[in-house]
Amino acid sequence: MRFFTSLLLVVACTTFSYAQLVISEINYNPPEVGNDIYEFVEVYNNGSSAVNLLGYSFTEGIEYTFTSGFNLGAGEYVLFATDSVAFAQAFGISAFQITNGSLSNGGELVQLSDDMGNVVDEVDYDDGNGWPSAADGAGASLVLCDFNADNNDPANWDDATTGTGFLSEGLEIFANPNAASSCQSGAEVRFLASGFEVGEDVGTV
């Protein structure tokens, strides 16, 4: 009976450690024409201890498996990009190269699993149905507003508003990979082009 009780405690602690990894940013439809080379997924360690990601993998949406040990410390991020070279040039930070697949512009399930195949976290994002709209080709990534909130609820996500200074197809990419997001409260105005013409008699714009 003592052995059985100890085993239950170990299982409970292990299960709790899964919940600390959170998919926290998704750039699924950057503005470039053709292949979306600036796509990326960010994972955040929301726990109080490091997690060794050996054997962890994305099992839906994109493909990547950690074939060697990688410790993700508490409060740290790890990034996965469809083109790690282009990502580093654009954002000035490194990311793991996704081995296969890309993020659907129409939305899909992105799922991270541990070395035993248990689902650690998943997000079923969309380009409609309440999900932020500027992330759908207008230059912004999807950012999670609260790491403790349900990241499958579109109300807990926002369009990134952090300018990177990097232009793609004439649009600045708004994203904050490897950093916490600051979500907006209230209306937001963003110019998606460098300029436009307004007639003299158009009235209020």
Side-chain angles (χ1 to χ4, degrees):
M1 180 62 68
R2 289 180 180 177
F3 174 76
F4 180 71
T5 303
S6 299
L7 181 61
L8 286 177
L9 289 173
V10 170
V11 171
C13 291
T14 304
T15 303
F16 175 78
S17 70
Y18 296 153
Q20 64 188 340
L21 297 182
V22 179
I23 297 172
S24 53
E25 186 168 0
I26 303 172
N27 195 26
Y28 70 90
N29 189 15
E32 62 265 28
V33 175
N35 294 329
D36 290 335
I37 61 174
Y38 301 117
E39 288 183 347
F40 69 84
V41 175
E42 176 191 83
V43 174
Y44 176 70
N45 183 350
N46 194 36
S48 58
S49 59
V51 177
N52 188 334
L53 298 180
L54 175 62
Y56 280 57
S57 63
F58 282 95
T59 45
E60 293 287 347
I62 57 175
E63 292 182 16
Y64 182 83
T65 300
F66 282 94
T67 56
S68 59
F70 178 85
N71 285 324
L72 183 63
E76 293 183 349
Y77 303 82
V78 61
L79 293 144
F80 307 86
T82 56
D83 187 329
S84 59
V85 174
F87 178 89
Q89 291 173 343
F91 303 112
I93 52 179
S94 61
F96 288 100
Q97 174 71 48
I98 294 170
T99 53
N100 195 27
S102 61
L103 297 167
S104 170
N105 292 348
E108 66 178 325
L109 176 66
V110 178
Q111 187 179 82
L112 177 67
S113 299
D114 67 8
D115 58 338
M116 300 296 290
N118 301 300
V119 175
V120 174
D121 193 30
E122 60 182 23
V123 176
D124 194 3
Y125 72 90
D126 200 350
D127 65 345
N129 299 311
W131 286 84
S133 59
D136 189 17
S141 66
L142 283 174
V143 290
L144 183 63
C145 298
D146 181 354
F147 297 132
N148 297 305
D150 178 7
N151 62 354
N152 269 289
D153 183 349
N156 294 324
W157 292 79
D158 200 357
D159 300 311
T161 58
T162 304
T164 64
F166 183 81
L167 299 181
S168 176
E169 301 296 329
L171 297 179
E172 182 176 10
I173 293 181
F174 289 81
N176 39 254
N178 212 35
S181 306
S182 177
C183 293
Q184 301 298 301
S185 58
E188 175 190 343
V189 175
R190 177 181 299 162
F191 293 97
L192 300 180
S194 57
F196 61 92
E197 294 183 1
V198 177
E200 294 180 1
D201 58 349
V202 75
T204 301
V205 177

